[in-house]
Amino acid sequence: LYEGLPSMTSSTFFNPDEEFINWIIERANGRLIIDIGCGNGLVLRKLHNAGHKKLMGFDPFTDMIEFNQKAIQECGERIHFMPLDVGSERFYNFVQPMVESNNMNIMFLLCRPCHNGRLVDGAFKIAKELGVELLYIGLEENIDIDLGDMIPYTTLDHKGSSEDDEIVLKLG
């Protein structure tokens, strides 16, 4: 589906410390967090274990969904994983009714998108159209690869750290 992605090793994934996770939860302020390209579900599991209960993950790779069975075993049905491509009409049709219902506030997370401009672009377009906040969490040296020249962003100060000292950008 996405050509040229690096192999999925443990170092591929964003691994935030407890303080960084708490900063994300504080920023979410009770909203449903949708992790786009959730990979192994690590961030969702950490968010759940820290007390945030409104969580959903999307990843187009079915093997990742199988890998996420660990998260489901650990957290029960509190985390919902969907094998949908974010750039697809199916993803938009799934998320749009949740956004448009007045009782569902949503925040998109895009953690280490693996140098995938298509994933970032698809998430940005949908977030912009639906008026959803989109946070990009990645490595500073990958911004040009991941965002290109067309996606505006604001750098956010965050608390905590991760293995590779990621930055946080609010896209749009």
Side-chain angles (χ1 to χ4, degrees), residues 1-169:
L1 182 59
Y2 295 116
E3 296 177 19
L5 291 179
S7 63
M8 298 297 182
T9 63
S10 61
S11 65
T12 303
F13 302 111
F14 170 53
N15 189 11
D17 67 6
E18 184 178 341
E19 190 175 15
F20 206 143
I21 286 293
N22 289 332
W23 179 86
I24 293 170
I25 291 171
E26 184 178 305
R27 177 96 187 172
N29 194 24
R31 293 180 283 179
L32 169 67
I33 296 175
I34 295 180
D35 187 353
I36 297 171
C38 62
N40 66 3
L42 175 65
V43 173
L44 292 172
R45 290 194 313 269
K46 285 186 169 197
L47 289 165
H48 177 271
N49 292 339
H52 196 81
K53 303 303 182 198
K54 297 177 183 176
L55 302 164
M56 187 172 287
F58 288 89
D59 201 294
F61 300 105
T62 54
D63 61 327
M64 287 312 214
I65 299 302
E66 290 173 24
F67 190 59
N68 283 325
Q69 294 308 309
K70 177 181 179 184
I72 292 171
Q73 289 171 355
E74 190 177 309
C75 305
E77 296 299 317
R78 295 288 212 179
I79 300 175
H80 301 282
F81 294 100
M82 306 288 290
L84 292 178
D85 178 2
V86 168
S88 73
E89 188 175 328
R90 283 183 58 216
F91 176 79
Y92 180 86
N93 291 337
F94 184 84
V95 173
Q96 180 186 22
M98 289 191 289
V99 172
E100 290 180 351
S101 68
N102 292 326
N103 57 1
M104 183 68 72
N105 291 316
I106 296 174
M107 180 174 84
F108 287 163
L109 279 184
L110 194 55
C111 302
R112 282 246 192 130
C114 299
H115 320 307
N116 190 330
R118 181 173 171 238
L119 176 68
V120 176
D121 188 56
F124 173 70
K125 285 178 180 173
I126 289 173
K128 184 177 179 183
E129 185 172 329
L130 296 176
V132 172
E133 181 177 41
L134 172 59
L135 296 186
Y136 166 99
I137 300 173
L139 303 176
E140 190 167 8
E141 63 263 21
N142 297 337
I143 291 174
D144 290 339
I145 298 168
D146 292 339
L147 303 184
D149 296 329
M150 302 303 292
I151 299 177
Y153 63 86
T154 305
T155 304
L156 301 177
D157 290 329
H158 64 84
K159 297 176 186 169
S161 63
S162 60
E163 289 178 355
D164 296 311
D165 201 26
E166 274 85 356
I167 60 167
V168 180
L169 307 176

